[in-house]
């Protein structure tokens, strides 16, 4: 059961960057890679010809899902589940194992659970580090996305209650509890906080989007922290972008 839970959570983090590589998040990462490249040769060092072609195909013929792997390896539909139920070992050998052993590129977010998982379990896969391209546009979006982006293995050993107070254009109070490799987001301030963060909402969103410098925001009191900054660093490690 524990292995199933771990696989599910790791797969969830892979889903955003690999399966949706050519959708909004991956496309944003790709365009910013182009903008950051100094020359055509510099771009080619960062993006392979096949990846560029794949992006072009998606732009020309609309984005394509890579969910065929999911459907093949997880035969939940009544019309395809019979071979799995009749002979699971044969199904894994004929369908799942070839996909696991296939030589290909897997896109992962740096510091994510998926990065370590792929390198450990799939030696034939080439890991490419990319940004998720996910940047919340609102405090509501930030809070909503925390359980989806949470990396449980990165939170190992962390047990803390975070109180967030957002001011300015979007006022909000929330409690984020990270404990036993689980995250919980609740409205309002609940329990005794180990660290409290008060931030102007636009500044916080700018910080998440790497448009605002945290140190500068702290010096300007746009973001104020009561508690150990190490806990804030540990929080960020649980949600790599």
């Amino acid at each position: 059961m524990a292995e199933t839970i771990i696989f599910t959570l790791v797969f969830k983090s892979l889903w955003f960057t690999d399966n949706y590589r050519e959708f909004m998040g991956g496309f944003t990462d790709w365009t910013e890679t182009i903008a950051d490249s100094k020359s055509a040769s510099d771009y080619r060092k960062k993006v392979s010809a096949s990846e560029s072609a794949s992006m072009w195909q998606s732009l020309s013929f609309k984005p394509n899902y890579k969910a065929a792997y999911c459907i093949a390896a997880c035969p939940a539909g009544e019309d395809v589940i019979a071979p799995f139920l009749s002979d699971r070992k044969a199904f894994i050998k004929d369908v799942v194992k070839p996909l696991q052993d296939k030589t290909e590129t897997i896109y992962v977010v740096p510091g994510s659970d998926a990065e370590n998982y792929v390198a450990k379990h799939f030696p034939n896969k080439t890991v490419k580090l990319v940004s998720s391209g996910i940047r919340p546009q609102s405090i509501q979006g930030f809070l909503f996305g925390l359980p989806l982006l949470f990396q449980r293995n990165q939170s190992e050993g962390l047990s803390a209650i975070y109180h967030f107070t957002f001011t300015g254009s979007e006022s909000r109070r929330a409690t984020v509890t990270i404990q036993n490799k689980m995250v919980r987001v609740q409205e309002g301030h609940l329990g005794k906080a180990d660290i409290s963060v008060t931030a102007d909402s636009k500044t916080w969103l700018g910080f998440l989007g790497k448009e605002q410098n945290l140190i500068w925001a702290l010096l300007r009191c746009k973001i104020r922290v009561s508690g150990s900054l190490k806990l804030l660093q540990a929080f960020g490690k649980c949600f790599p972008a």
Side-chain angles (χ1 to χ4, degrees):
M1 177 64 73
E3 290 183 356
T4 300
I5 293 174
I6 291 173
F7 176 79
T8 301
L9 293 172
V10 170
F11 181 77
K12 177 185 70 175
S13 64
L14 271 171
W15 185 266
F16 290 110
T17 50
D18 197 60
N19 185 60
Y20 285 98
R21 176 63 185 153
E22 294 156 15
F23 285 71
M24 289 305 297
F27 180 77
T28 299
D29 173 73
W30 178 65
T31 55
E32 291 182 355
T33 299
I34 296 175
D36 290 340
S37 298
K38 299 177 181 179
S39 63
S41 60
D42 184 39
Y43 168 79
R44 287 196 294 269
K45 292 177 183 178
K46 300 175 182 178
V47 183
S48 67
S50 60
E51 185 178 356
S52 294
S54 183
M55 284 290 183
W56 173 79
Q57 288 176 331
S58 290
L59 289 171
S60 302
F61 306 106
K62 76 181 182 180
N64 294 293
Y65 289 96
K66 297 177 181 176
Y69 281 24
C70 313
I71 296 171
C74 306
E78 292 182 358
D79 55 337
V80 295
I81 200 172
F84 173 75
L85 295 178
S86 61
D87 192 340
R88 296 190 181 191
K89 289 185 178 180
F91 182 87
I92 292 174
K93 178 183 177 182
D94 297 337
V95 178
V96 179
K97 199 69 169 67
L99 294 177
Q100 292 177 331
D101 294 339
K102 182 180 178 181
T103 300
E104 62 183 338
T105 299
I106 299 292
Y107 301 96
V108 299
V109 174
S112 65
D113 292 345
E115 180 182 2
N116 295 328
Y117 189 90
V118 172
K120 181 178 179 180
H121 292 85
F122 305 111
N124 291 335
K125 310 295 184 187
T126 299
V127 172
K128 181 172 183 179
L129 304 179
V130 296
S131 166
S132 67
I134 299 174
R135 296 182 179 85
Q137 302 300 306
S138 66
I139 297 302
Q140 169 61 24
F142 162 68
L143 296 173
F144 175 81
L146 290 179
L148 299 175
L149 301 176
F150 181 66
Q151 304 294 301
R152 67 189 310 271
N153 289 334
Q154 300 299 323
S155 73
E156 186 170 5
L158 178 60
S159 179
I161 295 176
Y162 296 80
H163 281 177
F164 286 94
T165 301
F166 297 104
T167 61
S169 59
E170 192 175 354
S171 298
R172 195 76 175 270
R173 297 202 307 173
T175 297
V176 179
T177 304
I178 300 177
Q179 193 174 45
N180 298 325
K181 293 187 176 182
M182 301 294 288
V183 64
R184 186 179 184 187
V185 181
Q186 297 170 284
E187 287 287 339
H189 290 168
L190 305 175
K192 183 180 179 180
D194 296 292
I195 178 173
S196 297
V197 179
T198 302
D200 170 71
S201 55
K202 287 186 177 180
T203 302
W204 183 258
L205 293 174
F207 162 61
L208 296 178
K210 299 180 180 180
E211 298 171 352
Q212 296 279 349
N213 181 275
L214 178 60
I215 301 301
W216 184 240
L218 290 169
L219 291 174
R220 296 172 59 211
C221 293
K222 289 290 186 177
I223 297 178
R224 301 190 300 276
V225 178
S226 177
S228 173
L229 283 176
K230 289 184 178 180
L231 285 178
L232 189 58
Q233 292 174 334
F235 181 88
K237 186 179 178 181
C238 297
F239 307 96

